[in-house]
Structures are given as C-alpha cells and as structure tokens.
Amino acid sequence: MIGRWGLRPPRTPRTPPAIAILTIAAIFLFGACTEAPLKVAPSRDAEAGTKLARDAGAILLQFAAYDYGLAGALSSAKARTVTPARYGVVARGAANTISAYSAGVVGAAVDRAGPIRDKLVTLADGLTDLGRDAQSYADAVDPAAFARVISHVTAGWQRLRDLSTALPRDDVLESAIARGTSFVVTASAATKHTVTVGPYTTVADAEQALKAIGSPQNAALTRTAPFVVRLGPYPDADAAAQVVAKLASQGIVSLVSQDQSYTFARSGPVPDAELWREPSRVLESAPAARRIALSDDGTWILTGSDGGQAALFDPADTLRALPQSFAGMSALAFPDDARFFALGGQTLTFLTAPAGQVVGTPMRFNNVATQLLFVPTTRLFVATSKGPTGEPSGGAGVIGGRAPDGVPLGDPFPIVTPAAGAQVAVTDAGDVLVGTTSGGGYDVEIFRPGRDGALRALARIPGAGRALTVDRAGKTVAAITDQGTYRVSLADAKTVTRLASPVREIAFGTDATLYLLDQTSLTSFAPDGSRRWTTTFTDGRRLAVGRRAVVVDGVDRLIAIAPSDGAIEELGAGGTVQDVVVSRDGKTVGVVVDARRAVLFTLP
C-alpha cells in the first residue's frame, strides 16, 4: 500500500494555506487598531461546523465514488467505470468546489478559537492538497497523482471523523462517512526497470536496431520522435544491467531507466447512487450505428446502422443477433414483453428475440418510416410514412399496423394520409392519436385498435403539423405546428392553448409534465398548463423524457435535468451522440456514441 510520503518526497514544513490567510488577517487587524490587540475568547468556537462538515463529506463522497470508477477502468473492470478523461472533467470541477470550501472555512474560522475551528482548518488544508493532486491527474493523467488522490481521500475521511467528535451528533454526516469509507480504493507501487536503446534519427533506423537485437517479445518501438527501442520491464536492476552488458558486446549502446508502476484495486459496494451520471453499461455495437431502442425495462438493447445491420443485446450484455435489413434504417422498437422487435426503413420487418428470426409480414412503404411505436394494452406496432415524394402531387402517405409477431391487422389499417404524412402518439390505455395537416389546419383524431374501425375527430389546431404527443393517461395533447406550440385538454378539446412559438421537440413526462425543447432552452409545464421553469443551454438538439428530461446539447454534451427546478447535471457520454432514448419505465437512458457504442445510464 502507498502512504502519503511513499508517493512523493517529504516536503519542507509549511504554513497551511488556511492558516496563512488567517495569519495575514490577524496582522491586518493588529496594524489597523491603535488599541490593545483583540483577545479571542476560547469559548467562541466556529459556529458553522456542522454545515462545513457536511460539505466536506459531500466532496469526499464524490471523490470516493469517482476514484472507485477510475480504479475500475485502470484495472480493466467492465461495470461502473470512469474513463481518465471523464475523471479529469469531474476532478477539475471538484477542485473549484474545494477552493470555495476553503474560503468558507477561512471565513468561519476568523476570530474563532477551539477544537472545531482547529479541526476544520486541518480538514480544509487536506482538501486543498486533494484538489491540487486531482488537478495534476486531470492535466497529465499521471498514475502517481491518482495514487496521491486516493491517499488524500483516506486521510480526509479520518480528519472528518475527528471533526465529528467535536460536533453534536449529526446523522447525515455519519451516513456520509459510513458510505464514503465503504468504497475501498487502493494503490500499489512497484519499481520497474527498462532498457532503452537509441535514440535514432528515423523510425527505420530504430527498426534496424530492433532486428539487430533479435526482436525479443518484451521489446517496444516508438513511432514518434525520439525513436527508441525499449526492452523490459525486468524484475530488478541486475537483470536489466545484464541486458545492457550483452548489448554492449554487440556494439549497441543502451541504458537502464527506473520508473514507478502503479496498480489500482477497488472493493466494497458499487456506488450507483453517486455514479448515476456515468454509464451503467457500455456495449460495442455494429459499425456506423445511428439508432437505438430499449425494452420497456431498459434491459434489452437494439442498435441499427446506416448500412442496415442491427445488433441485439440481452440483459447480460451478450450479443444475441445481428440481423441484416436494408440500408437507411430509420426505426427500431420493442413490444412490451421484448419477445419480438421491429426494425427497418422503407420496409419494416418483425423478428423474434433473442434468435432474430424474421416472422410475420413486413410493412412496405413508398418512403422511409418516420415513426414506429408500440401501443400498450392493445398491443400492436404502428408506423407512419410520407408519400413517395412528400409532395401533394407525389401520392398519399400511410399509417400501417402489425401485431407484435408481424401479423397484419384489419380496419382501420392501412390508414391513408396526406402526402406530408402523419404524426402519431399513443396512450397507456391503448389509444392511438393521429395528426394530419389539411386546409391550413392540423387535425387530431383518435381510435382504439381492435375496437374502432374508424377515426373520430378530437381537435383542430392552427397551422401545419410537425409533432404530436399525448400524456400517458390520455388527458392532454400537445402539438407543434408552423404557427406555434399548443396544448389541448381532451376534457375540453375545443379549447386550444398556445404555449409558445414553434419549438424543436415536445414530450410528456410520466407525471404528465410537458417539456418544450428549443435551441437554447427547455421549458417545463405542469399538468394544469402553468409554466414551472425554464433552463438554458447552448444548442438543444434532441429530447427524451423519463424520470428526468434528457437533452443532447450540441453534439457531445448529454444533460439530465431535474424535474423540480430545472437544474442541469452532465452525463458522461464520452463522445459524439447520434441518438438518445429513454426506456418506458423512465429509469434507463440509452445513447449511441461515436457511431459504435451503446451507452446506458440509470436515472435516480
């Protein structure tokens, strides 16, 4: 195990930063006063001790969890890992938090004396060292800096325990200490000896030297300047020296270098609650993946590529099928029991899970499918497509329906629509809502498959329709047209309320909260139609809603937004996001990243 002074040479004793600031403050007060120096009453201890102790616990708990994730990544674990790059982002933010915390301790400790004040200052100084080494790791991805971070966190918990003994008992603080110390992360260091041959002017010269040495298995050649050959590592300096002597006998000059190598390990419970912003599952998908679908409980995963190849993964992350469809895959979906799945573009096919065998009759359109939804309760797939060209003269669009196993359905399917196609939305009760544009207005109709042979009118909304959604209970409809974003209560469908200008996307949460995504903001409306809050970002492109609203901001920032106040939390997607969905139970977020990985997050 690595102790504090096993990681770097002992430093010259110095005045802790918080103490130094207090000393300067005391000198200033002394110089500004012409009377006798102010005497601090020993009974006047720091009064904000409990709050500051809780704040320190939150800082240490975050580090303990993220250290667990990074240690897992560095030891090749598969679950609940954090990449060095993502750790660096979090570490920089935590360092800023520590800086603000230290300032707060200084303010609380001025003109105070007593055990709480002394222990707070000691704790703050230790956190300052923690922040400094966290920044060092973020800047250089230096394993030695990470090992020091682990040591600082361990020491920080002990200092926080010492502080807690001077404070009234606080269950929140005690819980944080117990949870944080349960995540055990260790670092071990070993000295490795390597032999370096070179440098050489070109990589070709280095390759020639490697051949002359005999190209041993423990040899590595650098492909960027300086061009050298490295041999090793060797168990000790004597073994490395023997290699140098052997090379010298061949006329090859080399030298021995000595470095520290680190190994990291973790144990204890998995910090799911603290690492919810980080992936809970990461799977390598089919190449050029652009689309993703999740089963209702978020355990089965389906991705689709531009070339028409899909990949089906089971709850154990095992690849179960690689079905091939036509190029231009635009739609993927599971039924509620995940026994089948549907996929495709201009042609939608239906397959069994997990075998991936085609069943039923495909749905063929004259254009690519624009939507593919599964309707609960009445249990069917419904899909929409524009006309062949999307223009009025090019032919009509269509809405098709299939049973989960691909069996064709009767009336009212297929439903002919205007050439611009239709938008559909579904309720938990199994109703299908259809929106179509004609005569300068947007008509919303409804039917229940298996019961209704025709559609009946609900509402007419101004403008040409762009999007349609309904809350799960089937009480409220929202739509985007070219004239605005509207809300309609189905209890009074003749009353249409304009909420805003046309926005990019709309969606209902499981609690009937309505979210409006525009380029630079997300606005939340309560079920009664009143505005709750608006939160801003840079470039909102996609919206999916579960326990929280999730927005793709730009191309590589994935943010989850708290339903209560619109606070933003960034999720560690780790690349360019092509698609985002949320499982029907609202717990799991699925994204395609860098057109090759399916990345899942579990929402709290």
Side-chain angles (χ1 to χ4, degrees):
M1 299 300 301
I2 302 302
R4 177 183 179 92
W5 302 119
L7 300 174
R8 56 184 177 189
R11 296 177 292 186
T12 309
R14 62 178 176 84
T15 303
I19 297 298
I21 295 173
L22 290 172
T23 303
I24 293 171
I27 293 172
F28 174 80
L29 291 171
F30 178 80
C33 184
T34 57
E35 300 178 0
L38 178 66
K39 293 183 179 180
V40 178
S43 61
R44 296 191 63 199
D45 209 337
E47 297 173 353
T50 297
K51 178 186 181 304
L52 290 168
R54 285 186 177 187
D55 292 345
I59 292 170
L60 289 168
L61 185 57
Q62 181 185 40
F63 269 104
Y66 276 85
D67 289 352
Y68 183 101
L70 180 57
L74 297 177
S75 60
S76 301
K78 299 299 183 184
R80 273 301 181 209
T81 61
V82 177
T83 66
R86 174 63 178 163
Y87 185 91
V89 171
V90 174
R92 290 187 182 95
N96 292 334
T97 302
I98 288 172
S99 179
Y101 176 82
S102 296
V105 170
V106 170
V110 168
D111 193 24
R112 302 293 178 190
I116 296 176
R117 178 261 186 202
D118 293 343
K119 294 176 188 295
L120 272 174
V121 170
T122 300
L123 176 61
D125 282 343
L127 291 179
T128 298
D129 285 343
L130 169 61
R132 183 184 302 112
D133 280 318
Q135 282 274 26
S136 295
Y137 182 83
D139 293 339
V141 192
D142 176 20
F146 180 47
R148 292 195 296 271
V149 167
I150 294 170
S151 179
H152 291 321
V153 171
T154 301
W157 287 123
Q158 185 56 54
R159 294 185 183 109
L160 189 58
R161 279 198 188 95
D162 291 344
L163 172 60
S164 70
T165 62
L167 296 169
R169 177 175 175 81
D170 183 78
D171 290 341
V172 173
L173 177 59
E174 295 299 326
S175 176
I177 293 173
R179 182 158 179 79
T181 54
S182 70
F183 309 138
V184 180
V185 182
T186 59
S188 301
T191 301
K192 66 176 183 179
H193 300 82
T194 58
V195 174
T196 302
V197 182
Y200 296 95
T201 305
T202 66
V203 68
D205 293 338
E207 289 173 343
Q208 188 63 37
L210 181 59
K211 291 180 181 178
I213 295 169
S215 301
Q217 290 185 345
N218 66 346
L221 186 149
T222 61
R223 297 289 173 177
T224 58
F227 303 107
V228 298
V229 176
R230 291 194 176 93
L231 307 174
Y234 296 95
D236 51 52
D238 289 341
Q242 292 176 13
V243 174
V244 170
K246 181 178 179 181
L247 293 175
S249 68
Q250 300 175 250
I252 300 173
V253 178
S254 61
L255 57 86
V256 177
S257 60
Q258 181 175 307
D259 303 294
Q260 290 287 102
S261 65
Y262 291 87
T263 57
F264 301 96
R266 65 183 190 179
S267 60
V270 179
D272 285 323
E274 292 76 18
L275 292 183
W276 71 267
R277 302 165 190 83
E278 310 308 319
S280 52
R281 299 166 69 187
V282 178
L283 301 92
E284 291 298 322
S285 184
R290 298 288 180 181
R291 305 283 292 174
I292 185 170
L294 301 177
S295 61
D296 281 9
D297 61 1
T299 58
W300 287 83
I301 305 166
L302 181 65
T303 63
S305 71
D306 287 345
Q309 187 179 54
L312 176 68
F313 296 90
D314 68 14
D317 295 347
T318 302
L319 177 63
R320 301 302 298 265
L322 280 169
Q324 181 66 45
S325 182
F326 298 101
M329 188 177 293
S330 61
L332 307 168
F334 285 99
D336 49 8
D337 58 8
R339 293 176 55 216
F340 302 92
F341 58 97
L343 56 84
Q346 191 166 338
T347 298
L348 297 179
T349 54
F350 304 87
L351 305 94
T352 61
Q357 295 177 339
V358 175
V359 293
T361 303
M363 276 197 284
R364 293 185 172 89
F365 300 109
N366 290 324
N367 207 326
V368 297
T370 54
Q371 283 183 277
L372 173 62
L373 302 177
F374 183 77
V375 187
T377 307
T378 49
R379 303 199 73 250
L380 73 150
F381 286 108
V382 60
T384 64
S385 174
K386 296 180 179 180
T389 65
E391 299 297 328
S393 60
V398 68
I399 302 173
R402 290 287 188 275
D405 58 358
V407 173
L409 302 174
D411 289 339
F413 297 109
I415 301 169
V416 178
T417 73
Q423 292 77 41
V424 297
V426 302
T427 70
D428 279 354
D431 295 317
V432 178
L433 281 77
V434 178
T436 55
T437 301
S438 63
Y442 189 55
D443 293 303
V444 180
E445 300 172 286
I446 188 171
F447 73 100
R448 180 168 293 183
R451 185 187 69 181
D452 301 329
L455 284 65
R456 57 186 175 86
L458 278 180
R460 185 168 173 85
I461 298 172
R466 297 178 180 176
L468 178 70
T469 188
V470 63
D471 71 327
R472 291 191 173 187
K475 294 181 178 181
T476 308
V477 173
I480 305 171
T481 74
D482 60 355
Q483 295 186 25
T485 303
Y486 298 89
R487 177 185 182 276
V488 180
S489 171
L490 296 190
D492 181 18
K494 293 182 179 180
T495 301
V496 177
T497 303
R498 189 177 188 273
L499 300 176
S501 300
V503 296
R504 289 189 168 183
E505 287 193 50
I506 51 176
F508 280 101
T510 55
D511 61 351
T513 298
L514 176 61
Y515 296 92
L516 275 60
L517 174 69
D518 211 353
Q519 180 173 354
T520 59
S521 66
L522 182 74
T523 302
S524 165
F525 288 87
D528 64 2
S530 60
R531 184 191 297 261
R532 281 179 171 167
W533 47 257
T534 296
T535 192
T536 59
F537 32 75
T538 303
D539 182 16
R541 299 191 177 190
R542 293 292 309 277
L543 169 67
V545 180
R547 288 177 170 176
R548 298 178 181 230
V550 179
V551 172
V552 180
D553 183 18
V555 297
D556 57 4
R557 187 168 182 246
L558 186 67
I559 56 177
I561 301 172
S564 58
D565 57 6
I568 286 176
E569 297 277 5
E570 184 169 354
L571 305 182
T576 301
V577 178
Q578 279 77 33
D579 193 19
V580 57
V581 297
V582 175
S583 60
R584 186 167 179 80
D585 65 8
K587 298 178 182 179
T588 306
V589 179
V591 292
V592 175
V593 177
D594 292 337
R596 61 186 178 87
R597 293 193 307 277
V599 181
L600 274 66
F601 301 85
T602 302
L603 294 176

